[in-house]
Amino acid sequence: MRKLTQLPSKKSSNVIGKVGVSRKHESADKHVSGKALYIDDRPIMANHLHGAIGQTTIAHGIVKSIDLSKVKATPGVVDVLVATDVPGHLDIGPVFKGDPVLVLDKVEFMGQALFAVAATSHEVAVKAAKLAVVEYKELEPVLSVKDALAKNNFVRPTHTQSRGDAPAAIDSSEHVLEGALKIGGQEHFYLEGQISSAEPTEDGGMIIYTSSQHPSEVQILVAEVLNIPFNKVVVDMRRMGGGFGGKETQAAPWACIAALLANKTGRCVKLRLNRVDDMTLTGKRHPFENDYRTGFDSEGLIKGIEFNINGNCGYSPDLSDAIVDRAMFHSDNAYFLEHAHVVGNRCKTNTVSHTAYRGFGGPQGMISIEGVMDDIARKVGKDPLEVRKLNLYGQTDRNVTHYGQTVEHNILPMMIEKLEVDCEYQKRRAQIAKFNKENPFLKKGIALTPVKFGISFTVQHLNQAGALIHLYTDGSIQLNHGGTEMGQGLNTKVAQVVAQEFQVDIDNIVCSATRTDKVPNTSPTAASSGTDLNGKAAQNAAKKIRARLVKFASEHFSVRQDEVMFLDNQVHIGEEKVMAFAELIQLAYMNRVSLSSTGFYKTPKIHYNRDKANGRPFFYYANGVSCSEVLIDTLTGEYKVERVDVLHDVGDSLNPAIDLGQIEGAFVQGMGWLTTEELVWNEKGRLMTNGPATYKIPAIADMPEIFNVELLQNEPNREATIYNSKAVGEPPFMLAISVWSALRDAVSSVSNYRLSPILHTPATPERVLMAVQQMKAQ
Ligand code: MTE
Ligand code: QUE
Ligand code: MOS
């Protein structure tokens, strides 16, 4: 093993005050008391209508005829909308074409929106939407990655990232291994389903209330389907009841259909998908089927590796190009791959179009290389942790990724050593070995896995944000920024930043709804970048106002500018004078000082040439390590996650309470993905797991019995992010890979750790049992 050096830890740069301290979520009280308003809680206009979607009943084919007479004749139905009624664009593909807002003739998945109904109640609309009589010419659906690959059925061209000569390096290695892994998708299961409400305004405009992570995109697409300029559409988004990536592009169709119905009827229209329809009609995490071939030495050091990363994209491109790219960017995870050849296929199947989900392809890339680490360890007869350590990126050499980005300030080796000691890995490994010798049926497993996750949108132009701050004459502050609140605490963190700038209490700040007429041309709140981008933009706006206030006070009171200080809701001016913050604002107003400002931020340093697959796509990396211990029953395949220890790097935390919540939540969501959450489509392409009875998300009883989560201390982000913090939303999701690896460890014990079991995900009890059988058979 190479020697790992403890890095010198720079003293934390955190300012004591409004940032860096735990504050409860801005809406916490309202969340738990039911007073937080969601779109479905908004007051209804007197003549408000309710929309519902008429769905296709085949997965692939051509519509020959539609008879809507029974739909229209249903009492309470006011209007029906079909593709030919759309005044503007029919295609609402967010990046690339391919998503018709309503089917014109070609059906590409079961459930796809064929028409829409507006009625006087939600119930009537939903019932009526089922009464259409449709004739189809059915075509054979493509439903698997294997089938799509065989037919060269892709939504986007194949892309490759490559360095060195992987085939030669593999062929000249002491050992060569091959393997394949099927990785399941995941339903977002946000508590609040997809919903939009459209209100016609004068001059043919529209105001849209939508549960969306991407209000600016909803604005554009609504304008395009209505064939009106963007400035006639306003999109308003106060909060989502969870998004997790599922409301990045997938909110737009329902907003567009609500707007089309509102435009056609001249009335307000609300469109809410019930749970079954939401699960049937909206994209999920991409299932992947990845395979690899690697060569390594007898210590387990990788010499060369080839990966085929095959994403099941569903019927259209959506965000799949960027998602499969991110899977490829993370096929190294924390390991130096000197000779690597990574091929990414975007497979087209006749299912719903898969989309962003926490990690955005990263988890599917990362789990593959973690599986390789386990496989290599079994082959060379080492503890997988030793093989992981051996292959880690170095500090000054072996520190450039296969896409050319240097891994700077690599703290992962140090974090692994710290967690290994803190959670007593070696002692427990020995205890587990003993336990497994003594128990014929119950087996334990343990795994410690790292996460290195690249922060930034890999599409450069998205790495920008805007903000708008108003100060009113009572000293209260209204804050608006381009990000959206989905429970992650973004508004709280951005408010903390502004409170820090003015040194006022956070209660003095109201974070208003995200609106396209306040901050324009925003990026989706995604890629974990919400606070990084919008925090900086809001800080920029606050600094501008503050500079004006300082200049004014210095002139007004004849003091130097550096004698004006904001502290504890007060302003100190020179040695003698102290006034309340509100008093200074009132005075500034009377002296005609502008008390409002926009702010802007763009991420520095990033560049990437996709044709060469080389550059620095990420501003920095967020790191984490987790150790999971599981207990399996080899007779039934049932298991328990007995203990989890996490050490996670958020730089200097802006709000430790919120960050811990994000880490715990992400871990459990990741565990659900890898253990119990199974999506099943039947041979006709019908989603069979379309409700909580058939699709199992983690519940309180599934929580690890021991769950220790620690924030890494005294490691500020070395890049100049907002108060040297790091993004936290997605990276800890991938910490759950240690649960899967621990399950494989427990199963492998049946072969006395000679064999590495095939364990596709989700690793349900059935799959664990099959893996045990496979060990016994060999
Ligand atoms: N946390 C909650 N409570 N609800 C969510 O929907 N979405 C996750 C993560 N944490 C989510 C969440 C995803 S997918 C992302 S990209 C980030 O939050 C987005 O927010 P941020 O960039 O402000 O962290
Ligand atoms: C991570 C992400 C996103 C991403 C790239 C990432 C994301 C997203 C897009 C995207 C790509 C191209 C577009 C566009 C958006 O890229 O969420 O509008 O034209 O939407 O690395 O989370
Ligand atoms: Mo998160 S998947 O980037 O919305």
Side-chain angles (χ1 to χ4, degrees), residues 541-727:
K543 276 190 191 295
K544 286 191 209 169
I545 299 173
R546 201 185 126 123
R548 286 183 213 143
L549 292 171
V550 169
K551 183 166 178 287
F552 160 70
S554 103
E555 286 166 9
H556 191 82
F557 294 105
S558 304
V559 296
R560 292 194 319 271
Q561 291 204 1
D562 65 3
E563 290 178 292
V564 182
M565 272 178 28
F566 292 75
L567 202 66
D568 280 340
N569 300 306
Q570 291 179 320
V571 189
H572 296 248
I573 299 156
E575 300 228 317
E576 256 111 79
K577 191 142 188 70
V578 181
M579 57 167 69
F581 180 75
E583 216 181 316
L584 177 73
I585 302 307
Q586 174 68 29
L587 193 63
Y589 166 73
M590 294 306 292
N591 286 275
R592 300 187 293 175
V593 176
S594 165
L595 295 171
S596 171
S597 179
T598 59
F600 186 78
Y601 176 73
K602 60 176 183 183
T603 310
K605 292 190 179 179
I606 47 176
H607 56 88
Y608 185 66
N609 181 335
R610 191 171 186 263
D611 293 333
K612 295 193 173 131
N614 195 271
R616 177 186 183 160
F618 304 117
F619 189 26
Y620 62 90
Y621 295 102
N623 305 289
V625 278
S626 68
C627 180
S628 296
E629 183 175 335
V630 300
L631 174 70
I632 68 169
D633 181 335
T634 58
L635 298 179
T636 64
E638 287 170 294
Y639 55 82
K640 277 199 290 198
V641 180
E642 296 203 308
R643 175 171 169 180
V644 172
D645 294 80
V646 167
L647 177 62
H648 197 77
D649 159 35
V650 295
D652 279 345
S653 176
L654 287 170
N655 185 327
I658 283 179
D659 287 350
L660 285 171
Q662 283 291 297
I663 296 165
E664 290 170 1
F667 185 94
V668 173
Q669 197 170 40
M671 202 174 75
W673 169 53
L674 292 174
T675 57
T676 61
E677 296 183 38
E678 185 165 34
L679 290 164
V680 178
W681 282 270
N682 74 6
E683 70 288 348
K684 287 273 183 198
R686 178 184 296 280
L687 178 68
M688 305 306 285
T689 47
N690 61 4
T694 46
Y695 185 79
K696 172 80 180 81
I697 61 170
I700 196 71
D702 300 306
M703 288 286 285
E705 284 168 26
I706 302 171
F707 194 8
N708 302 317
V709 180
E710 195 184 323
L711 300 177
L712 180 67
Q713 299 296 316
N714 301 319
E715 281 294 344
N717 194 339
R718 302 296 162 122
E719 298 298 341
T721 51
I722 188 78
Y723 291 101
N724 300 93
S725 62
K726 283 192 181 182

Side-chain angles (χ1 to χ4, degrees), residues 94-95 214 217 248 319 322 326 360 456-459 461-462 524 526-527:
V95 184
H214 200 347
E217 188 166 87
E248 220 184 299
L319 299 172
R326 190 170 270 271
F360 205 76
S456 289
F457 289 98
T458 53
V459 178
H461 74 270
L462 296 174

Side-chain angles (χ1 to χ4, degrees), residues 106-118:
K106 197 164 151 210
V107 179
E108 301 209 88
F109 76 93
M110 194 177 292
Q112 195 171 11
L114 183 57
F115 64 94
V117 184

Side-chain angles (χ1 to χ4, degrees), residues 213 244-245 248 356-360 525-528 730:
Q213 290 173 245
F244 307 112
E248 220 184 299
Y357 195 142
R358 209 169 195 169
F360 205 76
T525 307
S528 304
E730 294 167 289

